[in-house]
Amino acid sequence: MGISERKEREREDMQRLILNAARKLFLENGVEKTSIRAIADAIEYSPATIYLYFKDKNEIFYALHELAFLTLAEHFRPVSLIKDPFAQLVELGHLYIQWAVENPGLYELCFLMESPMEALACRDESWEHGKNSFGLLMHIIEGCMAAGYFKQHDPESAALTVWSYIHGLVTIFLRGRMKLFDDDRDIERIKASYSLFIKMVQHGL
């Protein structure tokens, strides 16, 4: 390995170290209550070291946000192998729920945590990955409409309705609100609710 390759690997390793520490602190304390010094202390480096890799903590948050959406996009990849648009929609929902349940921290970063995006110089692109995910849903909804589903609805409203339902469902779970049932059947309930939602769509939502 040459000198330039080694330096690049060391840079990537340090960025990864910073991001992992920041993600833990952001999830525990929130973005606003997490300082650069706190992140530096967590990795046992000086704050000056952090600034060699990131402009400020908002840029760190954006990097984490971007990485989280990239993992979500990768998780959605099997949908492209399905031909039928309604089957695509059903599978997309299953994958979204699975990703949220298995990656609560990433879901928090993507959809639940109050973010400082307005402070970023790149704020115009800050939700680009979110737009891409919603764009995939829109594309599938348009295919479903061509197949006779979502009659008398526009694609955007239909897509927002589907996303709102699934987001609400997993948020209830992630925020611990299913504890009101006082048993351990949360995942079973999520699956049953989603199955009912799909039947409602099939019969003319």
Side-chain angles (χ1 to χ4, degrees), residues 185-198:
R185 296 174 53 240
D186 292 356
I187 302 302
E188 183 181 338
R189 285 190 177 89
I190 290 174
K191 292 179 179 179
S193 177
Y194 182 59
S195 178
L196 174 60
F197 177 75
I198 291 301

Side-chain angles (χ1 to χ4, degrees), residues 119-165:
L120 291 172
C122 57
R123 59 185 177 277
D124 290 339
E125 294 88 34
S126 64
W127 193 245
E128 193 62 33
H129 292 290
K131 289 178 181 177
N132 291 340
S133 296
F134 189 73
L136 172 61
L137 175 58
M138 281 274 289
H139 176 72
I140 293 173
I141 290 291
E142 288 168 351
C144 288
M145 292 179 76
Y149 297 97
F150 301 102
K151 296 178 180 178
Q152 300 180 349
H153 293 283
D154 65 273
E156 184 178 273
S157 295
L160 182 59
T161 299
V162 171
W163 179 33
S164 297
Y165 160 74

Side-chain angles (χ1 to χ4, degrees), residues 158-191:
L160 182 59
T161 299
V162 171
W163 179 33
S164 297
Y165 160 74
I166 299 178
H167 171 69
L169 180 63
V170 299
T171 300
I172 288 171
F173 169 75
L174 294 177
R175 286 291 190 254
R177 298 303 186 262
M178 287 191 177
K179 287 184 173 62
L180 65 90
F181 295 110
D182 198 29
D183 58 30
D184 58 355
R185 296 174 53 240
D186 292 356
I187 302 302
E188 183 181 338
R189 285 190 177 89
I190 290 174
K191 292 179 179 179

Side-chain angles (χ1 to χ4, degrees), residues 1-21 23 43 45 49-50 52-54 60 63-64 67:
M1 180 185 296
I3 295 175
S4 60
E5 289 86 357
R6 186 174 66 253
K7 287 184 176 180
E8 181 59 29
R9 171 182 276 188
E10 290 172 352
R11 180 176 181 81
E12 290 175 355
D13 288 344
M14 179 57 74
Q15 286 179 324
R16 191 177 302 111
L17 183 66
I18 293 169
L19 291 174
N20 286 340
R23 178 173 57 196
I43 63 173
Y45 279 85
T49 300
I50 306 292
L52 293 175
Y53 298 89
F54 297 97
I60 294 174
L64 287 169
L67 287 171

